[in-house]
Amino acid sequence: MSEMTTTGSAEGNEEAVSRFVERFAAELTEAGMQRMAARVFAALLASEGASMTSAELADQLQISPAAVSGAIRYLSQVGMVSREADPGSRRDRYVLHNEVWYETLTRRDAILTRWEKVLRDGSEILGPDTAAGRRTAETAEFFEFLQKEMLSLLDRWRDHKAAKGSEV
């Protein structure tokens, strides 16, 4: 059975939402994201408006404002959240970017391009006939392949999302 209420939303079931946030944050941490950043990201993802103040995040996650600040700094640097003024207040709200995963993977495309170039240069420096040169060249080929597949995959996601939107 789902951890949502019978109305189909998690509203009013704070314990279940908290368990989901911690569970997803643990998965993100296992994949390499900083622990506090993963918790803050998961809390924002699970919030109805995809935005919260520092005080709201600290209260929900039972962490210090300094921990929220550090997590937000990391999430901002990797382009997963942005800071916006809270209307009628001096506080900031932290907001998940629309299509956060799509945008994150699109930025990774530029990183793969840079890595591929450095690896190709490295292969030449190491010597194409050496084990290190061949290994480096194969790694560059892998990133080139991954980049082409990623672009195709992202295009297919856009098409899939557009088709789903027309069904609603």
Side-chain angles (χ1 to χ4, degrees):
M1 173 110 185
S2 167
E3 292 190 4
M4 296 200 180
T5 63
T6 56
T7 62
S9 76
E11 189 175 315
N13 197 344
E14 292 176 24
E15 187 178 320
V17 171
S18 181
R19 282 194 309 268
F20 162 73
V21 165
E22 295 303 328
R23 183 175 167 210
F24 188 54
E27 292 294 331
L28 292 172
T29 301
E30 184 71 25
M33 186 182 279
Q34 295 175 356
R35 183 173 179 270
M36 281 301 146
R39 292 182 72 210
V40 167
F41 177 80
L44 287 168
L45 185 67
S47 71
E48 192 60 29
S51 85
M52 298 173 81
T53 65
S54 179
E56 290 167 338
L57 286 162
D59 184 54
Q60 179 179 333
L61 298 172
Q62 296 297 295
I63 59 177
S64 71
V68 172
S69 179
I72 291 296
R73 187 177 319 109
Y74 171 82
L75 292 168
S76 295
Q77 287 172 348
V78 297
M80 296 179 82
V81 299
S82 59
R83 181 185 317 244
E84 295 180 1
D86 194 16
S89 169
R90 285 192 263 167
R91 295 181 179 182
D92 288 327
R93 293 194 76 73
Y94 303 105
V95 182
L96 281 184
H97 290 172
N98 288 332
E99 299 185 335
V100 66
W101 295 114
Y102 180 89
E103 296 299 327
T104 299
L105 289 173
T106 299
R107 280 189 299 282
R108 292 290 181 243
D109 180 56
I111 292 168
L112 292 176
T113 299
R114 292 194 321 260
W115 288 0
E116 180 190 344
K117 180 181 181 344
V118 170
L119 287 162
R120 291 204 186 283
D121 292 346
S123 177
E124 287 300 315
I125 291 167
L126 296 167
D129 296 329
T130 67
R134 287 190 297 275
R135 190 170 45 251
T136 307
E138 183 177 332
T139 304
E141 289 174 32
F142 172 76
F143 285 129
E144 178 183 26
F145 173 82
L146 187 60
Q147 185 179 20
K148 287 178 185 171
E149 291 299 311
M150 186 74 69
L151 292 173
S152 173
L153 182 65
L154 292 172
D155 287 343
R156 290 195 330 262
W157 167 249
R158 284 275 189 205
D159 294 344
H160 170 78
K161 189 173 173 186
K164 269 190 101 164
S166 65
E167 295 172 7
V168 178

